Amino acid sequence: MSQQAIVDFRSDFLARPTPAMVEAMVKAAVEPSGFGLREDKHQAALEARAAELLGKEDALFVPTCGMANQIAIHLFTGHGRAILCEERSHIITSEGGAPAALSGATLRTLPGRRGAMDLAALEQAALTPVAESFPKTGMIVIENTHVRYGGTILPEAHCAAVADIARRAKLPVHLDGARIFNAAIASGRPATDFTRHAVTVAASLNKGLCAPIGAVLAGPKELIEEAVRVRQMFGGGFRPVGTIAAAALVALNTMIARLAEDHARAKRLADGLANQPGLSLDPAEVETNLVVPTLTQMTPEAFCERLAKEGILAMPFGPKVVRFAIHNDIDDQAIERAIAAVARVLRKAAA
Ligand SMILES: Cc1ncc(COP(=O)(O)O)c(C=O)c1O
């Protein structure tokens, strides 16, 4: 095992808060926090800034992005209502069956390409009058960037086309934008170019933006007022919240443009991995901060175990896929170490 520090690529939520965030937390920790569910001044400042950046009337600070998604689902669906979404969406693969468990909603999944739902299939599902035996549709969910395809960006034109179908079908669109700022920075556009095509938006603060914890749900004022009640019902009315809200505000104010550095490093990692035997990856498909090579000779579990012995942690991400998430604690040197370590692991496995 290398004597060098371990580099953890398993998730971008592992990025530590910056010194400016720690300073903001220390200051806020000794101030009195608000008593009510939205009384804290740091929370209010964070929510106002999030609403502004996401182009919505209001935003609510919530513990996790999964909870933000589930609050939106609860607001728009109900027992027996269907959600139209792409078949590998996070709300299906990674939220513990919450749409059914918490809202009684059923998922009607649609095929897609690299996370973008097939528009003809969506149009048919949303607009064809359904037989009485079919569930009524409550909402459409899109995910941008799309985690299962390795942080792919749903282009703005695709989001607009989804919104157009939704408008004609009189359905709301919820955007799971856990990494929406990655999509924005990588596209060279403001986040609002994407968020304007959805009624509600969930965005993570604790991933590439390095806040210690939290996400926001943004949307129209009246819906967010209702979201406060649902957040409480789901056990998410966390208080005192000033300390972490203060850090999350620093995250929103200082860490968005920096995501470009993660994207550049993800590309460098992809270039360094692409031609290694035993692994298949097209660097042109790496659009943001996630790199998800397919292994052709080893299982992801065996690969990650051997890589861990080299001081590099990656995550099994499917039967043949592993995930490397680039974040603020991963520098150029760490990328080069990872490339060399992967080469050693694959070489040994092939020997
Ligand atoms: C696309 C997407 N949505 C939602 C989430 C959930 O975030 P959290 O872990 O804060 O619940 C994640 C987490 O990685 C994600 O990738």
Side-chain angles (χ1 to χ4, degrees):
M1 157 84 110
S2 152
Q3 293 306 303
Q4 289 172 293
I6 286 172
V7 185
D8 202 337
F9 285 89
R10 287 173 300 171
S11 177
D12 37 7
F13 77 69
L14 293 160
R16 289 163 302 171
T18 62
M21 290 180 208
V22 174
E23 194 184 323
M25 281 192 275
V26 169
K27 272 194 198 147
V30 293
E31 292 168 4
S33 194
F35 175 78
L37 287 171
R38 296 189 88 186
E39 262 179 24
D40 185 273
K41 70 171 185 192
H42 297 289
Q43 179 186 2
L46 166 72
E47 291 177 344
R49 181 72 177 128
E52 181 187 21
L53 286 167
L54 295 169
K56 300 294 172 198
E57 281 176 358
D58 201 359
L60 180 65
F61 190 34
V62 293
T64 66
C65 195
M67 186 180 285
N69 286 336
Q70 294 308 323
I71 292 172
I73 287 170
H74 198 80
L75 291 171
F76 292 134
T77 61
H79 281 82
R81 293 276 159 156
I83 301 166
L84 298 179
C85 60
E86 192 277 335
E87 60 197 0
R88 294 174 78 192
S89 304
H90 193 275
I91 59 165
I92 301 169
T93 62
S94 312
E95 298 187 17
L102 302 178
S103 303
T106 140
L107 293 153
R108 198 168 158 203
T109 60
L110 299 173
R113 201 185 154 270
R114 290 170 51 74
M117 270 181 284
D118 180 81
L119 289 171
L122 178 65
E123 179 153 359
Q124 198 190 23
L127 284 159
T128 309
V130 290
E132 277 128 7
S133 54
F134 248 71
K136 274 193 177 172
T137 303
M139 69 192 298
I140 298 171
V141 174
I142 54 176
E143 183 177 315
N144 204 2
T145 64
H146 201 294
V147 67
R148 280 283 146 187
Y149 295 88
T152 48
I153 300 169
L154 267 50
E156 202 252 342
H158 174 83
C159 303
V162 170
D164 177 57
I165 293 169
R167 201 163 28 248
R168 285 187 279 134
K170 298 191 172 46
L171 290 172
V173 176
H174 169 70
L175 165 61
D176 175 355
R179 296 183 183 79
I180 192 58
F181 294 112
N182 293 84
I185 290 298
S187 311
R189 314 176 77 136
T192 47
D193 276 9
F194 297 94
T195 60
R196 69 196 173 91
H197 301 297
V199 179
T200 49
V201 183
S204 289
L205 305 170
N206 68 332
K207 296 193 171 72
L209 303 187
C210 303
I213 183 175
V216 287
L217 176 68
K221 197 170 178 335
E222 280 174 18
L223 266 182
I224 297 303
E225 274 163 19
E226 191 57 15
V228 178
R229 187 186 62 77
V230 180
R231 182 187 66 166
Q232 184 70 4
M233 187 173 81
F234 287 172
F238 56 166
R239 287 170 294 167
V241 83
T243 312
I244 50 171
L249 179 59
V250 176
L252 275 181
N253 283 336
T254 63
M255 300 301 280
I256 294 176
R258 192 212 59 82
L259 293 170
E261 295 170 20
D262 294 344
H263 301 166
R265 291 192 175 109
K267 282 212 191 311
R268 167 65 198 134
L269 178 63
D271 285 340
L273 298 182
N275 293 319
Q276 300 203 13
L279 180 154
S280 145
L281 175 73
D282 180 358
E285 292 192 346
V286 174
E287 298 180 65
T288 56
N289 71 322
L290 304 178
V291 181
V292 291
T294 300
L295 299 171
T296 54
Q297 285 161 14
M298 295 177 80
T299 65
E301 289 73 20
F303 174 83
C304 290
E305 206 179 296
R306 290 185 205 174
L307 200 58
K309 294 199 176 116
E310 301 272 347
I312 305 291
L313 304 184
M315 183 172 110
F317 204 51
K320 291 186 173 175
V321 178
V322 284
R323 180 174 94 169
F324 293 81
I326 319 304
H327 55 75
N328 194 37
D329 287 350
I330 292 184
D331 59 13
D332 293 337
Q333 207 194 346
I335 298 287
E336 300 310 321
R337 267 186 66 198
I339 294 168
V342 169
R344 277 194 298 275
V345 166
L346 293 174
R347 231 184 358 251
K348 272 190 214 156

